[in-house]
Amino acid sequence: MSGEALLKAVRAGRTVEAAGLLDGMTDGERRACLPALKELRKELRSAPWNAASRVAHPALHAAGAACHTGAAGAATWIAGVDMRWSQASPGVLLHVLGDRETDWLADLTHRLAARPATSRVPFALVSGLVALSGCEVPTTDAYVRGWLEHIGGSWHGGGTVAQRLRKEPHVSVMVTALFESLEVTSQIAWLFGDGPGSWYSALAELSEEGTLDRKTVLDACVARLLRGGAPADQRVFLRLLSSLAPTRDEERERTADWTVLACQAVPTVAGYAQSVLASLALDGELTSRQLAEMSSGVLFRTEKKLVRAQLVLLGKVLKRDPSTADVLLPALAEAYGHEDTEVQERALKLVERHVTALSDSGGARERLGELTADLSPGLRLRAQRVLGIESPDSASTVQEEVLPPVPERARLAAAPESVTELAEEVSAMLASGGGVAAFERTLDGLVRHAHRDRDALMEALGPVVARCWWKDRDPSYPVVDRSFRESAQGLEVVLAALFEGVGMETLHAAVQQGPTSGNCHHSALSRALDARLWEAGYRLRTDPMPFLLATPTWDTGLLEPDELVERLTEYRRLDARPGTADFAQALLRVRRDDRATAEAAAARARALGSPEGYRLAQWLTAEGPLLPTSRRRTSGARILLELGELEEIQGSFPKEFRLLGRPLTVFKDHSYCRHWGVTDQWYWPAVVPGRRELVAARLLRDMSMAAVEDGRMVAAMLLPLLAEADGTAGEALHLCLAYGLGARHPEDRLAAVDALLVLAARGQLDAARLGSDIGELVRRDALKKSRLAESIRTAAATGAYATVWSVLLGLLPALLADLAADGAGGGAVRGLGELLAIAADCAERSGARGDLAHLAGTAERRGSSKAVIQARRLRTVLRGEAAA
């Protein structure tokens, strides 16, 4: 009867009554009630979440916890997801569990504490169990987080944080765990607060009075900083360390820790550690060896503020104690390798000032001589003169231009011979995509094997397409046909056609009418590809082609004319009908730049006597490949291109291909685009190989988004492909490159640098045009100088100094002219110093001489801004004068 009464009380939500009934039950009686409670829980899970169903949850939560005789089962019940939002109070749970043995309660305590914080196990429950069982306090992330919120909540017990901490029985253990827990860092940042009543002041106060062991807290704080982490998190522990105000003895004991932090920590922490070590060094409490070790690490950092502060410190120590020169000057000269030439010059000036203090033994002078190789050429000669090293001829400072190897075309391998091999390649393409070569081989293989033995092909592909989204869909549900009608989706439509996953009516409509979506700048490229795929799928079901005509010879998409003639000859022998879209794509791909080869192939094609043979002969003997006229237009901060009509891609070409020759306008058909996030953009340069300007112009708005609107990955995906493609590198490609060099995201900028170097290696880079385009875009605020400086510095660091200088030669006059017109400088000077520094370095290393428009005016300006200093340096280099 007690079990029935308990169940009735639980259903009615009478938690107090249920707790009273549980008090009078034995363990056996409680176990007997558990199946009925589990059944009720199952029933409530499927019930609507309303007041009637919620009323039973708190009582059920308490009763189930009490009726489990195993700690594991009780912990699982208490932390159940369905119990999370309507639990019994911690007081009720502690009441019904309070008669258990202490070992059982300790086991339950640690199981609950080990649950993640998302389980929402109340801290009051776990801390109450700790008190009941007398067990060791848990230090899990969830428990530490709960304790932090418990102490930090001003609603708990009143008083300050320090007063509440003094009442905690396990305060030392929990504070130590607080530093070790990684999950609670985000909580610490906002719970620690500000002012005299904050955690910072509380922990400092308790450490000072002895409630907390000061050494333990200091060590824990420093250890947490040494562990590293996000800058925001590190600032919390740095502020706590500052609140503890370490004494000079405490700072001296941790010299090794400060050294590591100064060399490796985030800038704010490194700055603090550097200041501590500087104070010790200036008071003579840091040996010259320790200071040299610290300097070697700090001088390699990219933060110029830290590097300059370290040079200042070294200068003060050397001035106070010249006997340290043998140890400190070689460490100081590590700054010779810094990317900022101003840092290099500061280091060199210190060496010049203290070089006379070097002894004749110890090898310090020899080490300094070795490190001069890291200096820029102008400073290197000066450093060698200071050390008395015989100065080489100034011409030797000119470095040979280093460019990447010219990419070579790769010939496509034949289509897979067996259906098993083809199935493997199809699976790889569907899983991770691939380049033009892999795609074309796989597509051609599908067409060939479907013509030879369709059943064998379907058997081999069965396990592959089983994972496809369109497989085994309900025929009455039109999502598959509607999706393929809008876009072919790569190989998917061919596979779906092969397995009859897409209807013939849909395929026929796609072949005859094209896509249902509207036009955008990319439509000409995507529709040409889709038309060929729709046709391949349609022909698999109606009139399979023996193979594809448009499969390229080379991985760039080009098709050799002799190879196309041979394929048409085989089609003639088999009496096969070429695909309209396939043949159109073959014409656009066939290579026509070798006139002798093209005319010989044209004669053989004409001899075939077929319509396709005559058409190919006509195409091969025509002038080409041609490019349309272009005109610049502006749209906001952007510079875009409009293209005129290309008449040769009209006439007998299918309508889906005629779009490639139609005019391209800036202010039309760009408001809606279905190609955002489309992954087949890598294929587009292969649609019109030899005419990459057609592709670049249609991608120009996307490239501009990488710089103007902080778009991502378009430049990273396509710029290297365009650089390696065939055809003229004209206005559109250079504008794309300019936008890429000023892109928001590093991966896009790095791809633009790769493209720049590849074009230079191929002799296709118009450096003056690129520099002029960049300058115009900077003036329109489409590009930021800071991003450009990073990209251009990266390009120069590869050894392409002459190439980078030639680009800057076209860019800098416009920026210098703006500075001259601006008078006071203002926005015109911001970021210019970095570009001038790179230009001076490149001019030194490439041996550039001559004049640069508006440079003299900048160099003669008053002040010591970076732009003025670097302008003077660049003028000195271009005049062939030695560095002062």
Side-chain angles (χ1 to χ4, degrees):
M1 290 297 292
S2 59
E4 294 178 3
L6 176 63
L7 189 61
K8 185 177 180 180
V10 169
R11 278 189 177 276
R14 298 193 293 269
T15 306
V16 175
E17 181 182 340
L21 292 169
L22 287 165
D23 287 343
M25 290 184 180
T26 65
D27 285 350
E29 289 173 332
R30 291 184 180 186
R31 278 196 301 270
C33 294
L34 193 57
L37 294 173
K38 288 181 177 180
E39 194 63 31
L40 176 58
R41 181 182 183 183
K42 183 178 179 181
E43 177 187 326
L44 291 175
R45 280 176 181 164
S46 58
W49 185 251
N50 53 37
S53 64
R54 287 202 306 271
V55 69
H57 274 85
L60 177 62
H61 192 223
C67 290
H68 276 87
T69 54
T76 301
W77 181 279
I78 291 170
V81 175
D82 54 330
M83 300 286 188
R84 189 170 299 169
W85 302 106
S86 187
Q87 301 181 359
S89 68
V92 171
L93 289 171
L94 291 171
H95 173 79
V96 298
L97 296 171
D99 58 352
R100 301 285 183 168
E101 295 179 355
T102 55
D103 289 344
W104 190 95
L105 288 173
D107 189 9
L108 175 64
T109 301
H110 287 282
R111 288 180 183 275
L112 289 175
R115 294 269 174 173
T118 52
S119 295
R120 294 183 177 272
V121 177
F123 172 78
L125 171 62
V126 185
S127 61
L129 289 170
V130 170
L132 280 175
S133 64
C135 68
E136 183 179 347
V137 64
T139 55
T140 63
D141 286 329
Y143 190 81
V144 173
R145 179 175 179 173
W147 180 81
L148 180 67
E149 294 175 348
H150 168 75
I151 297 297
S154 59
W155 60 87
H156 171 73
T160 64
V161 172
Q163 290 169 343
R164 294 196 290 275
L165 284 173
R166 290 190 185 97
K167 299 176 184 177
E168 284 294 306
H170 309 289
V171 62
S172 297
V173 176
M174 294 309 300
V175 168
T176 302
L178 187 66
F179 288 108
E180 295 174 353
S181 175
L182 292 177
E183 282 192 12
V184 301
T185 302
S186 59
Q187 299 290 109
I188 291 174
W190 65 271
L191 280 176
F192 262 35
D194 293 297
S198 68
W199 274 84
Y200 301 107
S201 59
L203 291 176
E205 185 179 335
L206 268 62
S207 299
E208 189 67 30
E209 70 187 27
T211 302
L212 294 174
D213 182 67
R214 180 176 173 83
K215 183 178 184 305
T216 301
V217 175
L218 268 174
D219 287 343
C221 195
V222 173
R224 185 58 189 261
L225 292 172
L226 287 168
R227 185 187 296 180
D233 301 339
Q234 292 290 84
R235 282 194 290 269
V236 172
F237 295 101
L238 178 61
R239 183 173 172 186
L240 176 57
L241 182 62
S242 301
S243 299
L244 292 170
T247 64
R248 179 49 57 92
D249 288 339
E250 290 170 335
E251 289 176 340
R252 192 186 308 108
E253 290 172 2
R254 295 167 177 80
T255 298
D257 294 332
W258 306 133
T259 301
V260 173
L261 290 173
C263 297
Q264 300 177 10
V266 297
T268 51
V269 177
Y272 175 87
Q274 184 186 43
S275 66
V276 172
L277 290 170
S279 179
L280 290 171
L282 294 174
D283 287 346
E285 298 186 69
L286 203 65
T287 67
S288 57
R289 293 290 177 189
Q290 289 174 317
L291 180 56
E293 179 186 357
M294 169 205 177
S295 299
S296 296
V298 174
L299 293 175
F300 270 106
R301 295 189 66 113
T302 57
E303 298 88 4
K304 295 172 187 176
K305 181 178 179 181
L306 294 175
V307 173
R308 290 168 182 166
Q310 193 66 22
L311 292 175
V312 170
L313 171 62
L314 288 168
K316 289 179 179 179
V317 174
L318 284 165
K319 182 178 180 180
R320 188 196 64 197
D321 186 2
S323 66
T324 60
D326 281 1
V327 176
L328 295 185
L329 283 183
L332 183 154
E334 298 283 354
Y336 287 176
H338 200 277
E339 64 180 19
D340 188 346
T341 54
E342 287 187 32
V343 170
Q344 294 181 15
E345 188 167 10
R346 283 171 182 257
L348 178 55
K349 286 180 178 179
L350 283 174
V351 172
E352 290 172 335
R353 192 174 303 151
H354 299 284
V355 69
T356 55
L358 288 173
S359 65
D360 294 331
S361 60
R365 189 177 294 274
E366 289 74 12
R367 178 57 181 158
L368 286 173
E370 294 171 1
L371 290 171
T372 59
D374 297 331
L375 286 165
S376 64
L379 294 177
R380 188 186 314 142
L381 295 175
R382 176 173 148 190
Q384 288 168 342
R385 287 197 299 267
V386 167
L387 294 171
I389 300 174
E390 185 177 348
S391 178
D393 184 73
S394 60
S396 66
T397 62
V398 177
Q399 298 185 10
E400 183 179 353
E401 182 79 348
V402 178
L403 293 172
V406 177
E408 296 183 0
R409 298 173 184 161
R411 183 177 286 272
L412 260 68
E417 285 294 328
S418 68
V419 291
T420 302
E421 182 184 355
L422 176 61
E424 292 175 355
E425 297 206 8
V426 170
S427 179
M429 285 292 299
L430 293 178
S432 57
V436 172
F439 179 86
E440 289 289 348
R441 288 183 67 250
T442 306
L443 179 60
D444 189 40
L446 287 171
V447 171
R448 287 175 182 270
H449 285 286
H451 182 266
R452 294 175 192 169
D453 190 341
R454 177 182 176 134
D455 292 338
L457 176 61
M458 292 180 66
E459 182 180 354
L461 289 174
V464 176
V465 302
R467 302 189 299 271
C468 291
W469 66 271
W470 46 264
K471 191 70 172 71
D472 299 327
R473 285 293 183 108
D474 186 350
S476 63
Y477 192 55
V479 65
V480 174
D481 284 76
R482 188 165 59 245
S483 179
F484 281 127
R485 182 70 176 81
E486 183 175 336
S487 169
Q489 302 176 50
L491 292 178
E492 295 269 8
V493 72
V494 181
L495 295 170
L498 181 65
F499 283 85
E500 301 184 4
V502 59
M504 278 298 298
E505 182 179 350
T506 299
L507 289 171
H508 183 266
V511 170
Q512 295 297 318
Q513 302 168 19
T516 57
S517 57
N519 289 332
C520 66
H521 291 319
H522 314 105
S523 295
L525 300 165
S526 64
R527 286 192 175 191
L529 170 61
D530 284 354
R532 190 162 167 244
L533 293 168
W534 281 321
E535 181 181 76
Y538 179 72
R539 291 288 296 271
L540 285 182
R541 298 267 287 275
T542 57
D543 180 18
M545 295 179 285
F547 50 84
L548 293 175
L549 295 172
T551 303
T553 306
W554 306 99
D555 60 351
T556 59
L558 283 176
L559 173 59
E560 292 295 332
D562 290 339
E563 196 166 336
L564 179 54
V565 172
E566 290 173 5
R567 292 174 187 174
L568 284 174
T569 303
E570 182 65 11
Y571 260 73
R572 183 77 168 171
R573 187 187 71 79
L574 296 172
D575 195 24
R577 179 170 61 90
T580 303
D582 186 38
F583 181 62
Q585 178 65 86
L587 288 179
L588 290 176
R589 283 179 169 170
V590 71
R591 191 164 66 89
R592 296 188 286 171
D593 55 352
D594 185 340
R595 300 310 302 166
T597 301
E599 289 175 4
R604 292 171 52 209
R606 192 176 294 107
L608 292 175
S610 65
E612 289 77 21
Y614 286 120
R615 179 76 180 92
L616 176 58
Q618 181 187 32
W619 182 258
L620 288 172
T621 53
E623 183 182 357
L626 301 176
L627 291 175
T629 58
S630 63
R631 180 176 65 159
R632 286 197 175 204
R633 296 293 296 272
T634 58
S635 176
R638 295 176 172 85
I639 298 174
L640 303 174
L641 286 183
E642 292 187 333
L643 300 181
E645 187 174 39
L646 193 58
E647 291 185 3
E648 70 169 354
I649 309 182
Q650 298 298 316
S652 57
F653 274 89
K655 65 177 183 179
E656 298 301 333
F657 287 79
R658 292 175 202 161
L659 291 173
L660 291 164
R662 295 283 168 81
L664 174 68
T665 61
V666 170
F667 302 107
K668 184 180 178 183
D669 299 333
H670 69 268
S671 57
Y672 169 75
C673 177
R674 68 174 179 83
H675 300 94
W676 304 122
V678 171
T679 57
D680 60 0
Q681 293 175 346
W682 51 265
Y683 184 88
W684 291 349
V687 173
V688 279
R691 305 191 217 215
R692 57 182 163 186
E693 281 289 286
L694 289 181
V695 181
R698 285 172 167 79
L699 292 171
L700 195 50
R701 183 177 291 275
D702 303 73
M703 295 294 181
S704 71
M705 291 178 65
V708 178
E709 299 177 14
D710 294 348
R712 194 169 201 151
M713 292 307 295
V714 175
M717 180 193 304
L718 289 169
L719 273 178
L721 293 177
L722 289 172
E724 295 176 10
D726 299 295
T728 301
E731 192 172 18
L733 180 54
H734 282 77
L735 276 172
C736 285
L737 186 55
Y739 283 121
L741 291 170
R744 163 68 176 81
H745 297 286
E747 58 268 30
D748 289 319
R749 293 198 298 271
L750 189 59
V753 170
D754 289 341
L756 168 69
L757 297 175
V758 168
L759 287 173
R762 298 181 70 182
Q764 297 173 341
L765 179 69
D766 187 337
R769 165 181 275 174
L770 178 60
S772 176
D773 287 342
I774 293 174
E776 191 172 353
L777 289 170
V778 169
R779 283 176 156 179
R780 299 183 62 85
D781 291 328
L783 302 182
K784 297 184 184 301
K785 295 195 216 49
S786 58
R787 297 175 186 171
L788 283 171
E790 184 177 335
S791 298
I792 293 172
R793 185 185 298 109
T794 301
T798 66
Y801 298 109
T803 297
V804 172
W805 167 247
S806 62
V807 174
L808 290 169
L809 195 59
L811 164 63
L812 288 174
L815 304 185
L816 292 171
D818 287 346
L819 180 60
D822 196 15
V829 76
R830 190 176 301 114
L832 180 59
E834 290 292 334
L835 292 171
L836 286 169
I838 300 167
D841 195 41
C842 290
E844 282 181 342
R845 295 176 188 272
S846 63
R849 296 291 182 269
D851 192 17
L852 190 65
H854 306 289
L855 178 63
T858 304
E860 292 167 4
R861 291 170 70 98
R862 294 180 178 179
S864 58
S865 68
K866 183 163 187 173
V868 172
I869 291 173
Q870 293 301 326
R872 293 168 184 165
R873 177 185 166 215
L874 178 56
R875 182 177 62 175
T876 299
V877 173
L878 293 178
R879 290 177 176 178
E881 300 172 0

